[in-house]
Amino acid sequence: MQNKEKNYLFLIISHFLLGVLVFNAPILSKVYSFLIIIIGLLVIVKKQNKGEEVLYVCAYIVGSEVFLRMTNGNPNHEFAKYSIMFFFVLGYIYSGITKVALPFILFLILLIPGIIVATESLDLFVDFRKRIAFNLSGSICLAIASLYTFGRKVDIEQVGSVLLVLALPIIPAAVYTQLFTPNIKEVLTSTASNSDLSGGFGPNQVATLFGLGMFIFFSRILLHSRTKIIFIINLVVTFYLGYRGLLTFSRGGMITGFVMILIFIFFVYKYSKSKIIINYFVGVFIILSLIIWSYTSVITDGLIDKRYAGKNAAGVEKQDKFSGRGKLVDEEITWFLDNPFFGIGVGKGTDIRTEKYGFLYASHDEITRLLAEHGIFGILALMILFFTPIFYYMGNKEHIYMLCFLVFWFLTINHAAMRTASPAFVYALSLLNVRFVTDEKTSLHRE
């Protein structure tokens, strides 16, 4: 076994073991969280970000966010977002920002009217801070990350390495969910998303990260599996994350990951000189996907099939196939139509629902939330986010991940809003100026 293979295997196994250790000694989760920040800070300061260390540190924080949340390792709920904002600002100090990043300064300015409107109805000392932090931390995080990445030159190998760093801490989260509920049939009684099979945490957020992890390791199968051993490792991890993601019974994250894989196959096939190898990989992926789905169907007594078909446990088609989210979207569109210019104000939607339903019911759709709470300024903000990477891609067509990243951001904020830092960070990666490395490093050849 070559040194590269040993090192890669060590990274994978160590993260599997991390999930086992934290499950058996929960206090280690807080130690792990502390070490990520301290080590990340030391690395960036020592190397002065000459090797884009900020991207790697932030990627690891994003990948570990859900694991730390489900194991109570974070000091507070928004710790990951605040941390990567801090590190990207540190990146500004060492590496600066480009002048072409002005759209994201404008994006931040467009959020201000909604904040001003919110001050009319929220308590300035309590509700204001909480509501603004909860509803805008994701958008602000996205803007700060994008100001750093927009136009920053990297090669395709660096992008692959950043994605690997992001995906590694998703592995212990998957292990933790397995240890948390070793007997699946004991907790599986319906086709609803299941927190017992998601490490006791939100299935939507867990499935989102597992779907992203599945995509990343699949991309490594195509671009970074230079030996048979590494190919097998990537294949096993891809389907392990896919399997655990299916068991959350949350569809959004897994469908998003699958769509990203399809898009990535298209672009790799387009640029690859060895179409036969790609066909082989895709064939293996399809066969193993069918096997994993069939196995999951058997151990869930067919409930997973009904879940993705929009049916309940009895096989009856549900009236609302989107788990109640359609009602929230309708409400937010109505609020926008009633307040089209300035919107109802940041966080006001949560207040209205709390009064109406008697409990906290936050939006799951960032797009309609922006419309409802920011009005026409929300539309302009969304146009900046959607069209900027597309226009930039016209002169940056070597970024074969770009559309995958944009799709992840767009689909994720449609079903999980910006609860986690992942859509903000992955969106920012779509703005990198990516160059191919034409030497043997990026070959699809395996020894």
Side-chain angles (χ1 to χ4, degrees), residues 137-158:
S137 59
S139 295
I140 295 172
C141 181
L142 180 149
I144 290 176
S146 298
L147 284 169
Y148 179 86
T149 59
F150 198 8
R152 192 165 297 274
K153 294 182 180 180
V154 296
D155 60 50
I156 199 72
E157 282 287 303
Q158 285 177 291

Side-chain angles (χ1 to χ4, degrees), residues 141-337:
C141 181
L142 180 149
I144 290 176
S146 298
L147 284 169
Y148 179 86
T149 59
F150 198 8
R152 192 165 297 274
K153 294 182 180 180
V154 296
D155 60 50
I156 199 72
E157 282 287 303
Q158 285 177 291
V159 178
S161 298
V162 169
L163 290 177
L164 174 62
V165 170
L166 191 161
L168 286 173
I170 299 176
I171 294 172
V175 173
Y176 187 88
T177 62
Q178 182 171 350
L179 296 174
F180 189 85
T181 312
N183 192 327
I184 294 170
K185 293 189 177 182
E186 282 185 0
V187 300
L188 198 56
T189 57
S190 71
T191 59
S193 56
N194 197 312
S195 61
D196 289 320
L197 292 170
S198 306
F201 191 63
N204 199 12
Q205 297 176 30
V206 174
T208 295
L209 263 292
F210 286 0
L212 178 60
M214 177 181 71
F215 162 75
I216 291 172
F217 277 102
F218 176 81
S219 72
R220 296 194 67 77
I221 291 173
L222 294 186
L223 297 187
H224 303 283
S225 294
R226 299 184 191 96
T227 69
K228 291 180 181 178
I229 292 177
I230 293 179
F231 169 74
I232 292 171
I233 293 171
N234 288 330
L235 198 65
V236 169
V237 178
T238 296
F239 285 98
Y240 179 64
L241 293 178
Y243 165 66
R244 295 310 308 183
L246 287 174
L247 288 180
T248 65
F249 275 69
S250 183
R251 295 166 294 183
M254 300 311 297
I255 292 173
T256 297
F258 185 70
V259 171
M260 292 172 74
I261 286 173
L262 292 180
I263 294 171
F264 193 70
I265 289 173
F266 170 79
F267 278 100
V268 171
Y269 196 85
K270 177 181 177 181
Y271 285 103
S272 176
K273 295 180 180 179
S274 183
K275 303 269 191 306
I276 296 177
I277 295 178
I278 304 300
N279 291 336
Y280 167 75
F281 286 164
V282 172
V284 170
F285 177 76
I286 292 173
I287 292 171
L288 289 179
S289 294
L290 293 174
I291 293 173
I292 293 297
W293 179 274
S294 300
Y295 176 73
T296 307
S297 179
V298 170
I299 65 171
T300 61
D301 293 328
L303 288 178
I304 193 67
D305 304 86
K306 295 174 182 176
R307 171 61 172 170
Y308 278 78
K311 299 178 180 179
N312 61 22
V316 179
E317 190 168 332
K318 296 180 181 179
Q319 290 184 345
D320 185 355
K321 295 184 179 182
F322 300 102
S323 305
R325 293 189 180 95
K327 183 179 180 180
L328 302 184
V329 169
D330 290 341
E331 285 180 341
E332 289 169 340
I333 291 176
T334 299
W335 295 338
F336 167 69
L337 294 175

